Amino acid sequence: MKKWQEICVSELLKKDLFLSSMHLERFQSMFELVKEQPFCTRGLCKDLFLVAWEQEKVVQMQEILKEMKERQEVDTTYLQQECKRLFPDTQYEQAMKQLFLEFLQKEDETPDEDILLGFSVTRIAIGDNALEASRVLDNLGMIE
């Protein structure tokens, strides 16, 4: 039986959830970096999908992921602590930060769509697709 990490990208592609080829490439780049790590969870994968839309956040996320590898982290606690680097305390970043943390803290659940009400207009599409990606990844929960 395949592990969920082996079919993750193909399942997301089947649903046509990536908003651009760059979104897909950034996601794949980050996922390849961590897919064999003990801290690679479906929740982390959901977050990779979410941040892959913005190049600046990808660079910051890659730094955090590399730090996690160097520190030999086994869970996402360090990432939860460091998410402030990704999401400054501004009104428009709070909903993204909340979704990011919910993906990590409740990794087998998809947050309610009401979270999108706090998103800026320019980020609603990525938030909506991230919720759908979350549902796809939740369904991979049966696969270990």
Side-chain angles (χ1 to χ4, degrees):
M1 179 163 39
K2 290 186 176 185
K3 292 170 38 173
W4 71 268
Q5 292 95 328
E6 295 173 19
I7 62 171
C8 167
V9 176
S10 63
E11 292 299 310
L12 293 172
L13 282 168
K14 282 181 192 177
K15 297 290 186 180
D16 199 28
L17 294 173
F18 293 97
L19 298 174
S20 70
S21 59
M22 289 304 299
H23 183 209
L24 170 61
E25 287 175 24
R26 291 178 192 135
F27 172 83
Q28 286 179 308
S29 172
M30 289 186 292
F31 187 66
E32 285 299 314
L33 183 67
V34 299
K35 73 179 185 181
E36 300 297 327
Q37 297 299 314
F39 58 81
C40 185
T41 63
R42 283 179 288 281
L44 174 65
C45 193
K46 294 172 185 183
D47 281 339
L48 297 180
F49 183 92
L50 181 66
V51 301
W53 178 242
E54 297 179 56
Q55 177 61 35
E56 180 183 330
K57 292 200 184 315
V58 170
V59 171
Q60 294 167 325
M61 184 72 159
Q62 286 175 323
E63 289 173 9
I64 295 169
L65 295 172
K66 288 175 184 173
E67 290 168 16
M68 290 175 71
K69 285 175 71 170
E70 289 169 9
R71 293 166 53 100
Q72 300 179 337
E73 296 290 337
V74 295
D75 61 30
T76 60
T77 304
Y78 182 75
L79 179 57
Q80 291 176 51
Q81 295 166 353
E82 294 299 310
C83 79
K84 61 187 172 292
R85 288 165 50 186
L86 295 166
F87 305 103
D89 287 329
T90 65
Q91 176 185 355
Y92 295 113
E93 294 284 351
Q94 287 310 300
M96 288 278 286
K97 182 178 181 179
Q98 180 184 352
L99 183 57
F100 185 91
L101 289 171
E102 282 194 38
F103 282 156
L104 294 176
Q105 295 164 356
K106 302 173 187 173
E107 89 168 37
D108 293 325
E109 299 175 29
T110 295
D112 190 275
E113 290 182 4
D114 287 349
I115 198 162
L116 296 177
L117 296 173
F119 275 57
S120 67
V121 173
T122 58
R123 290 186 172 163
I124 287 178
I126 187 58
D128 190 42
N129 279 32
L131 291 176
E132 186 57 33
S134 176
R135 290 181 196 95
V136 169
L137 293 168
D138 289 346
N139 288 332
L140 298 181
M142 304 303 174
I143 301 168
E144 292 302 322

